[in-house]
Amino acid sequence: AVRCSHVSFDGSLIVTGGDGGDVQIWDAETGESVTSLSGHTGAVNALMFVPSGKALVSGSSDTTAKVWDEPNATCLCTYKGHKAPVLGVAVSPNGEMVASCCQEKAVHVWKMDGVNLKVLKGHNAAVRACNFSADGSLLASASLDKTVRVWNLSSGKQTVEYGHRGKVYDVHFTQDGTKLISSSAFATCTLWDVASAPATGAVPLKEYKTG
C-alpha cells in the first residue's frame, strides 16, 4: 500500500512511499517512474521535498529519517535517534532544518547534515505530524494524546497547547504564521489563533465538521 506522497515545489515530480520501504519518484506530467530510492528497511510513513532544491526527506518504521539527493538517487544523510517508527517529517522553509516525529512521543529537530539540534518532549502519546511556521521560528506537533503543541525552536520550549476532543493526526500553519489548522478524530478540523493564544486553554476560532 502507498502510505504517503508529496509534490515537489516546482510541480514537476511526485514522490510516494509505502509498505515495501522504497521511495519512488514519478514525473508529474507523464506519470512515468523517474527513479527508486532504496535504503529504508521498514515502511515509509512520511515524505517531503526540500523547498529549495531537488532533495527530499523520508520517515520510516525502521526508526530513521533520511535525506535523499533526487537527481543522483543517493542518500545524503540518515537521522538516527528515534527509538520507534518515524510517523512524520517536515522541512523548514529555508531548507536548513528537518523535524521528525515518532511513536516515542518526541519530536527531533535536525540540521540538514544530520546534527541533532533539539529533542522536543511533552506529548503523552505518539506524535503523528509536525510542521514549521513560514518563518521557521516555530514548530507545531500533532499527537494521539489529543493535543497540538507549538514549540519555540530557539529555546526548545513549548509555548502553546491546544486541547482536542479526540486524537490529532495532522497540523499546518497558515502562511502568515498567525493561525494553524488541525485535523482530529470525530471528523473535525479546527482553526486556532497562534498570535494571541494563551499558553493553555485556547479557544478554537472555527471548527469544520467533515462528516
Side-chain angles (χ1 to χ4, degrees):
V2 176
R3 294 193 175 206
C4 52
S5 60
H6 197 239
V7 180
S8 63
F9 287 82
D10 65 4
S12 65
L13 299 173
I14 294 170
V15 60
T16 58
D19 293 345
D22 285 346
V23 174
Q24 190 72 39
I25 309 292
W26 309 86
D27 186 295
E29 183 174 351
T30 67
E32 295 181 357
S33 174
V34 175
T35 189
S36 181
L37 308 174
S38 299
H40 284 299
T41 58
V44 177
N45 300 314
L47 291 162
M48 187 173 182
F49 277 97
V50 175
S52 57
K54 294 288 188 179
L56 60 98
V57 179
S58 58
S60 171
S61 292
D62 67 8
T63 75
T64 71
K66 293 178 181 289
V67 179
W68 305 88
D69 177 357
E70 180 274 319
N72 296 307
T74 56
C75 179
L76 299 175
C77 183
T78 298
Y79 301 129
K80 298 178 180 179
H82 292 289
K83 299 177 182 178
V86 177
L87 303 178
V89 296
V91 182
S92 64
N94 64 6
E96 295 180 359
M97 290 186 293
V98 171
S100 54
C101 56
C102 67
Q103 283 186 349
E104 66 176 330
K105 312 173 188 178
V107 182
H108 291 239
V109 182
W110 316 81
K111 290 180 67 176
M112 190 61 72
D113 62 6
V115 175
N116 193 305
L117 297 173
K118 289 180 174 66
V119 180
L120 308 176
K121 295 181 178 181
H123 283 293
N124 300 310
V127 184
R128 286 292 303 267
C130 55
N131 267 296
F132 290 90
S133 61
D135 65 2
S137 66
L138 301 175
L139 185 80
S141 54
S143 171
L144 301 187
D145 68 5
K146 304 180 183 180
T147 70
V148 164
R149 299 170 193 246
V150 176
W151 310 84
N152 182 302
L153 291 177
S154 294
S155 66
K157 294 182 178 180
Q158 178 184 312
T159 61
V160 188
E161 178 181 326
Y162 302 97
H164 294 66
R165 291 189 294 274
K167 297 175 181 179
V168 191
Y169 299 101
D170 203 5
V171 64
H172 289 271
F173 283 94
T174 56
Q175 188 62 31
D176 63 7
T178 63
K179 301 175 184 67
L180 56 80
I181 186 84
S182 58
S183 306
S184 60
F186 309 113
T188 303
C189 289
T190 309
L191 185 69
W192 304 90
D193 185 354
V194 176
S196 59
T200 57
V203 177
L205 293 174
K206 291 182 182 178
E207 284 193 345
Y208 308 91
K209 295 287 186 179
T210 61

